[in-house]
Each structure stands twice: as structure tokens, then as C-alpha cells.
């Protein structure tokens, strides 16, 4: 542009307009009439600015890194200390370790049985149904939980879902007197029905009155039609007592449950049944019998006996 009178007048006019806009913008504050234009400009030019800054920022970042290196070192050191303290706190928290152990066991059971489970936490005991053995868990219809679904934990059968709300559900525990589940004996396949007896062992009526059962035998769930309310293969418990056979049509045995109903915390609702019966695969390995110590006695001739023999 040539330095003419017109160009100087145009420059003065543009400067005057710029100062006027600045004055209006400052006085307008958040309600400034040019705020919309500013936002539109930011929308258009923002990506361009980011692209340019990415090209020139490494230099600035390097300078800042040198300038703030001491502060950053202090922050990193503090974070490391905080992290170590948190790990120590979690590591020393017996409840957290216990919950992690429960979760690991339950995942292992679900994997061996090929059960699709929804993990849950027990948040209350003894729901509004009276004095029945029930617990409330923190999953419900919004999580895919439905009535008559099997509930288990890392030890074995816990119960079945009886009532479902949007975000919670009630579980009838296997030791409740109103609870009944079909069972199958490990290896022998003897069938029966287990019923809860509160804080006493489960009572099981075997269909075969002449079944050969002994203390220490184990039971699993037989499974229900369409897998509701019970899926097959879930560990139930260990035979603790066998009633003498009286020649009846059935035989009564008593079973100590694998699950402890007074210490429930992490449980799983079986939302997807296995494609095939896992049979005895979910049962834990049988404990190895403790070897009986053998005492060997070695007779060593006494010194007197040796002397007598030499004298003769």
C-alpha cells in the first residue's frame, strides 16, 4: 500500500474502530456483543492454533521442563510416596485381601463350570420375608438378574434368587427350611433332594434306600429343567453323617455345606447356564489323607551282653 493521505486516513479509521470494539468488549463483560464472534473465530481458528502450537511447543516445553524440573521431581517423589502408602494400606487390609481371595475362587468356579455369572456383594441379611435365611445383594433386574437364578460363591452353592428389584435382589439361602435342591453324589451318581435346616447340616433324602454312602462323600447340584432354579454341577457339601438303612424306599444322610452362610460377602448370580453338564469338574480336589507315622524300633546289643559272649 502506498503512503498516501487516503491510506493514512484508513489506518487511523481502523485503529479507532479497534479501540471502540475493545472498549465495548471490556464494558460488556460476559454479555459482550462481540462474544459470539469471538467464539466463532475460536471454532474456526482453534484447530489451526493447535496445529501450529504442536510445531512450536516442544521448544517451550523443553524450557518449561528445565525451569520446573525441581518442582516436577518433588511432585513425582510425593506421588511415589503416596502410591507406596496406598499399597501398604491395601496390603495390610485383611478384609480387602479376603475379598480378593473370594473373588478369585468364585471366578475359578465359574470358569470350571462354564457358568456366566454376575458378581454381587451381600449388602443386607434377613429381608422382609420374616425370619427366613435370606440375604440382599446389590444387583437386580437392571443387571440381568431374574427370579429363580442360582447363586454361588467360591465355595459352592449359596441359594437361589426369590425376589428381584431394579438394583437389588433377595436370595433364599440353601440352609433355609423352605429350600430344596436336587443333588447327585460324586462318582456314584445317586440322586436325592437336599433341604435346609437352619444352622444344622443339610438333610438329604436319597432316592435309593440301599445306596452305599459313607462319611466324606460329596454332593453337587443335579440341575433343574431349563436350568432354573438350579444349574448342574455346583458343589453342595460333604456327607457328615449317614443314618442306618432301615429298608425304606429312601435313605437319609446329613451334609455339611461347602458354603458358610454366616460369612457371605462376594457371591455370583448364574445368569447364563453352561452348555453341558460339568458333572464333577467343579468340585475341589479331594484332600490328601494324612500319612500315619511309622515307628521303627532297632535293637542294639548292650555292652554287658557283648562282654559275656566274649568271656564264654
Amino acid at each position: 500500500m502506498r503512503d498516501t493521505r487516503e491510506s493514512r486516513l484508513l489506518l487511523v479509521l481502523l485503529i479507532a474502530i479497534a479501540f471502540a470494539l475493545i472498549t465495548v468488549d471490556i464494558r460488556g463483560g460476559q454479555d459482550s456483543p462481540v462474544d459470539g464472534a469471538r467464539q466463532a473465530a475460536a471454532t474456526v481458528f482453534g484447530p489451526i492454533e493447535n496445529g501450529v502450537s504442536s510445531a512450536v511447543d516442544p521448544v517451550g516445553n523443553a524450557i518449561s521442563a528445565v525451569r520446573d524440573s525441581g518442582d516436577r521431581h518433588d511432585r513425582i517423589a510425593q506421588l511415589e510416596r503416596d502410591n507406596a502408602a496406598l499399597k501398604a494400606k491395601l496390603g495390610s487390609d485383611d478384609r480387602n485381601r479376603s475379598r480378593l481371595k473370594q473373588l478369585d475362587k468364585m471366578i475359578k468356579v465359574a470358569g470350571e463350570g462354564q457358568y456366566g455369572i454376575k458378581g454381587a456383594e451381600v449388602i443386607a441379611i434377613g429381608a422382609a420375608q420374616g425370619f427366613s435365611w435370606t440375604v440382599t445383594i446389590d444387583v437386580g433386574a437392571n443387571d440381568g438378574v431374574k427370579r429363580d437364578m442360582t447363586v454361588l460363591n467360591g465355595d459352592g452353592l449359596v441359594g437361589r434368587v426369590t425376589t428381584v428389584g431394579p438394583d437389588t435382589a433377595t436370595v433364599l439361602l440353601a440352609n433355609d427350611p423352605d429350600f430344596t435342591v436336587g443333588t447327585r453324589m460324586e462318582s456314584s451318581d445317586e440322586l436325592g433332594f437336599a433341604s435346609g435346616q437352619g444352622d444344622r447340616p443339610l438333610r438329604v433324602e436319597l432316592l435309593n434306600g440301599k445306596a452305599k454312602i459313607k462319611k466324606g462323600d460329596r454332593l453337587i447340584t443335579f440341575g433343574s429343567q431349563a436350568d432354573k432354579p438350579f444349574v448342574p454341577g455346583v458343589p453342595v457339601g460333604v456327607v457328615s453323617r449317614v443314618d442306618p438303612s432301615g429298608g425304606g424306599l429312601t435313605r437319609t444322610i446329613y451334609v455339611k455345606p461347602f458354603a458358610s452362610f454366616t460369612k457371605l460377602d462376594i457371591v455370583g448370580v448364574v445368569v447364563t447356564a453352561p452348555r453341558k453338564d460339568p458333572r464333577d469338574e467343579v468340585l475341589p480336589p479331594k484332600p490328601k489323607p494324612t500319612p500315619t507315622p511309622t515307628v521303627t524300633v532297632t535293637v542294639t546289643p548292650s555292652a554287658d551282653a557283648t562282654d559275656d559272649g566274649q568271656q564264654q
Side-chain angles (χ1 to χ4, degrees), residues 1-165:
M1 179 180 293
R2 295 177 60 185
D3 185 12
T4 62
R5 180 180 179 184
E6 289 78 5
S7 62
R8 288 196 297 270
L9 288 175
L10 179 59
L11 178 61
V12 171
L13 179 60
L14 290 175
I15 294 173
I17 293 174
F19 275 109
L21 289 175
I22 292 172
T23 303
V24 171
D25 187 32
I26 294 174
R27 291 182 178 180
Q30 294 182 350
D31 298 326
S32 170
V34 298
D35 187 59
R38 185 189 300 111
Q39 294 181 3
T43 302
V44 174
F45 296 108
I48 300 175
E49 292 173 347
N50 287 335
V52 173
S53 65
S54 64
V56 300
D57 274 354
V59 178
N61 290 340
I63 296 173
S64 299
V66 174
R67 184 180 64 244
D68 299 332
S69 59
D71 294 339
R72 180 172 289 107
H73 177 74
D74 294 340
R75 288 197 299 270
I76 292 175
Q78 183 61 45
L79 287 173
E80 290 176 347
R81 289 192 294 269
D82 294 342
N83 192 29
L86 180 59
K87 288 182 178 179
K89 181 179 179 181
L90 292 176
S92 63
D93 192 328
D94 292 339
R95 185 167 185 269
N96 282 337
R97 287 203 300 268
S98 174
R99 289 162 67 88
L100 287 174
K101 185 178 179 180
Q102 292 178 53
L103 183 60
D104 287 342
K105 288 178 64 178
M106 186 175 70
I107 291 174
K108 182 179 179 181
V109 166
E112 290 173 344
Q114 294 299 297
Y115 307 124
I117 63 171
K118 183 69 178 180
E121 182 180 355
V122 174
I123 58 176
I125 60 173
Q129 285 86 342
F131 297 100
S132 57
W133 289 77
T134 59
V135 295
T136 302
I137 57 178
D138 63 350
V139 294
N142 293 336
D143 304 288
V145 175
K146 298 179 182 179
R147 192 174 185 273
D148 286 336
M149 283 184 167
T150 307
V151 181
L152 51 76
N153 66 2
D155 297 318
L157 180 67
V158 170
R160 63 180 176 86
V161 176
T162 56
T163 306
V164 181

Side-chain angles (χ1 to χ4, degrees), residues 56 80 135 153-154 177 187 214 283 286 310 312:
V56 300
E80 290 176 347
V135 295
N153 66 2
S187 301
K214 65 182 184 298
L283 283 167
K286 286 186 176 182
Q310 292 176 351
Q312 294 176 356

Side-chain angles (χ1 to χ4, degrees), residues 159-237:
R160 63 180 176 86
V161 176
T162 56
T163 306
V164 181
D167 300 303
T168 60
T170 300
V171 178
L172 183 70
L173 301 181
N175 65 334
D176 187 274
D178 291 332
F179 187 96
T180 302
V181 58
T183 61
R184 182 175 63 80
M185 299 296 303
E186 178 187 14
S187 301
S188 70
D189 290 340
E190 294 287 354
L191 302 181
F193 291 94
S195 301
Q197 296 193 113
D199 55 0
R200 294 179 294 168
L202 304 177
R203 179 188 174 97
V204 180
E205 295 292 336
L206 295 177
L207 301 183
N208 181 4
K210 298 181 180 180
K212 295 181 180 180
I213 306 297
K214 65 182 184 298
K215 184 178 179 180
D217 288 346
R218 304 186 296 180
L219 296 83
I220 60 176
T221 56
F222 179 64
S224 308
Q225 184 176 5
D227 299 311
K228 287 189 177 182
F230 302 108
V231 294
V234 181
V236 175

